[in-house]
Amino acid sequence: EPVNREGWRNTLAVELDSHPSRRGRIGHGVLIGPLSSAIALDSDLVVILGAVDGSLPTRAHPDPLLGESDRLRAAIPSTPGELTVGDQRRALMATIASAPQVLIAVARGDLRRSAARNPSRWIVDLHDRADVHHVHVASHVEGLASSEFPLHATEFAGRALLRHVRAGGRIDDHPLVVDSPTLTGGLRLIRARDLPRLTEYDGDLSGVGVPSPFGSATPIAPTRLERWARCPHSYLMRHILRIDADDLTIDELVITPADRGSLIHAALDGFLAAMLGLADAPWPSDLAWTDGHRAQAHRALDEAAEVAAKAGTIGHPTIWHHDLGRLHIELDMWLDHDNGQRAAERRRLVGSETEFGAPGSAWPPAPVVLDDGRRVLFRGAIDRIDQRDDGTLVVVDHKSGGGSRYLKISDANPVDRGLYQLGTYAAAAATAYRVSPVGVRAEYAFVERKAPKRRVGFTVTDEIWTTFTDALAVVADGIEGGLFPHRPEPPVFKPFVSCRYCDPDGMGTADRYRQWLLKRHDPRLERYLDLVGESGESGQSGQSSESGQSGDEVGG
């Protein structure tokens, strides 16, 4: 509809507020801008920041269809908005000539990278000039200590504390600390995090009365308890303090792992639902998928892909054409393996995306009772349920990734590092069919074509069920005991952040990991370390991440 006067005025105000403000006129006061903005100005002082290789000159961004050399041969102007290397050098020289004093800052390192930074080659060319003076600042601390006058109150206080400590004084005795609850509390926090035991500053909430899902009448997803096993602090932040650290939505060139997993689940459910008679589809003879069934499976994938495309979750259409072709190949591989699996074990499909525990679900919540009588109710959705000729139930959870996190699951290791999903699904199926969970088969099935295994899992026995409930008891005792330490991954380079709670600024986990190596010596964490496979003294974290496979609070 036509915009009214108030809407126009509000929009204008927002746009004006979102842009840098200007006061006065150019040539008076301080001007901040690119090098090209200083050309032809008569300045008193010029400060050039970021004079390092890669920034001066900036890396070229050539047109992918018509490069700079082709433009020169055809006498076509350079890419709009892009300064050539020659233009950048001329702008630098003109900027230096525009003032009697020029300060050029050259950083020696980058906090976001481990590599050293080198001065711009154009700055190196100026070193031999007689009027150039070099000042080397070893670090931020040294710069603060040697400055003639601090820039603001925070630097003034920092320099005063630094000089006090270097003169032999205790930082706690300085008047700035004595009179500041903020500084006093900050010192307590820093010192507590370097102690070889848990404190209230790094996850010890014992005695606070933390809400526990054990004994609650509200069903929970098993992935919620798996989160505590992976990193107790992330459980505290996400499920108790309700702080969501998910990444901001950005435009992706390729489909994200999470969206890929959702698409695959939707496609398999569409196909398997048809096989269950929810659509017009004949059941395969001799437990083998026919060419007709394969065609129907691929149609289900195309339909799910079309829904994802309309939702804008497939990435760039050109790249998606290749990705969708790969998904069709993986679907064929899944059908081939499924044929052999069902024929060998005489399995018959009896359920797909069967929900339990949520309002309106087909099945009730899955109760699991610990040895001491504590009980937890689970909810979720089982991707697939099969039944053998002898009546044995098989619950299957589809995984769209390579499955590195799940590959050690077996009869001998049913809850590897705190994985409770399969045991929960076995309990849900046993509750719905009114049988004992002992004898139920639970599996992860991997769709990714490069997955080292197609399926991993276990058949529930009395011993396995005891192992499952004992592992849940570790989580119950940890949550109810208020133990929520950070357990970050070792500080290695990754192009993404695995856990925003352990690495909130994306600068790495070095400090957090060093602190974890101290905190893990707290005797209260002994059972937890046994659960996650860190009971030895190697100091290596047992975590592994599989991007996009969190499944938080969906139970799928």
Side-chain angles (χ1 to χ4, degrees):
E1 297 181 359
V3 66
N4 56 32
R5 184 183 299 273
E6 182 182 5
W8 184 88
R9 183 172 61 250
N10 293 339
T11 303
L12 176 62
V14 170
E15 290 296 320
L16 292 175
D17 289 342
S18 64
H19 288 78
S21 60
R22 175 191 297 174
R23 295 186 180 182
R25 56 193 179 89
I26 294 179
H28 295 266
V30 178
L31 173 66
I32 302 174
L35 289 176
S36 56
S37 65
I39 296 177
L41 286 183
D42 182 13
S43 305
D44 297 318
L45 171 67
V46 168
V47 180
I48 300 175
L49 303 177
V52 295
D53 267 345
S55 297
L56 187 67
T58 58
R59 293 183 175 88
H61 300 284
D63 190 311
L65 299 180
L66 193 61
E68 193 65 30
S69 59
D70 295 326
R71 288 175 176 272
L72 289 174
R73 285 196 293 269
I76 299 175
S78 299
T79 308
E82 291 281 349
L83 292 178
T84 65
V85 173
D87 290 336
Q88 293 183 59
R89 182 176 176 82
R90 282 189 290 273
L92 172 65
M93 295 297 107
T95 301
I96 293 175
S98 68
Q101 284 188 302
V102 179
L103 173 64
I104 303 177
V106 181
R108 296 185 297 113
D110 187 339
L111 292 178
R112 296 186 180 274
R113 297 175 179 85
S114 59
R117 302 300 296 265
N118 296 316
S120 166
R121 55 184 179 273
W122 295 339
I123 302 302
V124 174
D125 293 342
L126 302 175
H127 282 184
D128 295 333
R129 287 178 44 169
D131 57 346
V132 172
H133 305 282
H134 301 277
V135 178
H136 180 265
V137 182
S139 66
H140 169 72
V141 172
E142 290 304 317
L144 184 63
S146 60
S147 63
E148 294 184 8
F149 193 82
L151 295 178
H152 44 72
T154 301
E155 284 197 357
F156 183 86
R159 187 175 70 169
L161 293 173
L162 180 63
R163 290 180 173 178
H164 176 73
V165 172
R166 287 187 171 180
R170 293 180 67 252
I171 191 171
D172 303 76
D173 299 331
H174 195 282
L176 286 174
V177 176
V178 174
D179 297 334
S180 172
T182 302
L183 288 179
T184 303
L187 287 173
R188 282 201 304 266
L189 181 147
I190 292 172
R191 290 163 178 165
R193 288 184 172 176
D194 284 334
L195 294 175
R197 59 178 174 82
L198 285 181
T199 70
E200 63 269 30
Y201 295 103
D202 41 53
D204 182 5
L205 297 185
S206 55
V208 176
V210 177
S212 171
F214 293 84
S216 171
T218 303
I220 65 169
T223 49
R224 178 169 171 177
L225 301 186
E226 289 181 356
R227 176 182 286 276
W228 185 90
R230 287 198 304 274
C231 178
H233 191 79
S234 69
Y235 178 96
L236 169 68
M237 302 295 283
R238 182 70 174 267
H239 299 296
I240 296 179
L241 301 182
R242 306 293 182 183
I243 298 175
D244 192 349
D246 290 339
D247 290 340
L248 297 175
T249 301
I250 59 174
D251 293 331
E252 298 281 356
L253 290 177
V254 298
I255 187 171
T256 66
D259 290 331
R260 181 180 182 275
S262 298
L263 190 154
I264 289 175
H265 276 77
L268 292 180
D269 179 48
F271 170 61
L272 296 176
M275 296 300 98
L276 284 167
L278 302 180
D280 184 17
W283 183 254
S285 59
D286 298 327
L287 296 175
W289 302 122
T290 64
D291 290 341
H293 298 122
R294 288 179 179 270
Q296 186 158 7
H298 287 286
R299 282 197 299 273
L301 175 57
D302 287 331
E303 291 171 0
E306 185 176 353
V307 172
K310 291 180 179 179
T313 60
I314 60 171
H316 195 281
T318 302
I319 301 177
W320 172 240
H321 179 75
H322 169 268
D323 289 343
L324 182 58
R326 190 177 73 170
L327 289 178
H328 278 288
I329 294 174
E330 291 176 343
L331 179 59
D332 271 326
M333 296 175 65
W334 180 87
L335 290 167
D336 289 339
H337 178 77
D338 194 67
N339 269 340
Q341 190 87 19
R342 289 186 302 106
E345 300 184 17
R346 304 297 297 176
R347 296 185 182 186
R348 185 178 182 86
L349 179 71
V350 296
S352 174
E353 285 294 328
T354 305
E355 293 187 357
F356 61 93
S361 298
W363 288 359
V368 176
V369 181
L370 307 185
D371 287 344
D372 58 8
R374 284 178 294 180
R375 188 177 79 146
V376 59
L377 298 177
F378 287 106
R379 62 179 175 86
I382 305 175
D383 292 339
R384 174 174 175 170
I385 306 170
D386 290 342
Q387 194 168 28
R388 297 185 178 128
D389 288 346
D390 61 1
T392 303
L393 294 172
V394 182
V395 293
V396 180
D397 185 69
H398 294 130
K399 295 297 181 187
S400 58
S404 60
R405 228 180 106 201
Y406 310 94
L407 293 180
K408 293 183 180 180
I409 289 289
S410 64
D411 288 325
N413 191 20
V415 288
D416 178 54
R417 292 168 295 173
L419 294 174
Y420 303 111
Q421 202 169 16
L422 293 185
T424 300
Y425 290 177
T431 301
Y433 280 81
R434 299 182 179 180
V435 297
S436 169
V438 174
V440 176
R441 175 74 183 173
E443 297 177 339
Y444 289 120
F446 305 108
V447 182
E448 166 68 49
R449 61 176 175 171
K450 295 182 179 180
K453 296 181 181 179
R454 288 291 129 199
R455 298 198 182 195
V456 298
F458 54 84
T459 300
V460 180
T461 62
D462 290 326
E463 292 77 12
I464 285 178
W465 190 251
T466 299
T467 300
F468 174 64
T469 56
D470 287 347
L472 284 177
V474 176
V475 180
D477 293 341
I479 294 175
E480 294 172 354
L483 301 180
F484 301 99
H486 281 283
R487 181 176 169 256
E489 294 183 342
V492 297
F493 171 76
K494 284 187 176 182
F496 57 90
V497 175
S498 299
C499 176
R500 284 290 179 187
Y501 301 109
C502 291
D503 187 12
D505 57 3
M507 302 290 284
T509 61
D511 290 337
R512 282 279 180 262
Y513 188 69
R514 175 184 58 80
Q515 292 165 358
W516 165 242
L517 294 182
L518 291 171
K519 302 300 176 181
R520 64 199 300 276
H521 294 292
D522 192 311
R524 293 175 295 172
L525 295 176
E526 184 177 353
R527 293 175 64 208
Y528 173 69
L529 295 176
D530 287 337
L531 174 68
V532 298
E534 285 195 57
S535 56
E537 296 299 325
S538 64
Q540 293 298 314
S541 174
Q543 291 191 81
S544 64
S545 65
E546 185 174 355
S547 182
Q549 298 298 316
S550 63
D552 286 325
E553 292 300 297
V554 297

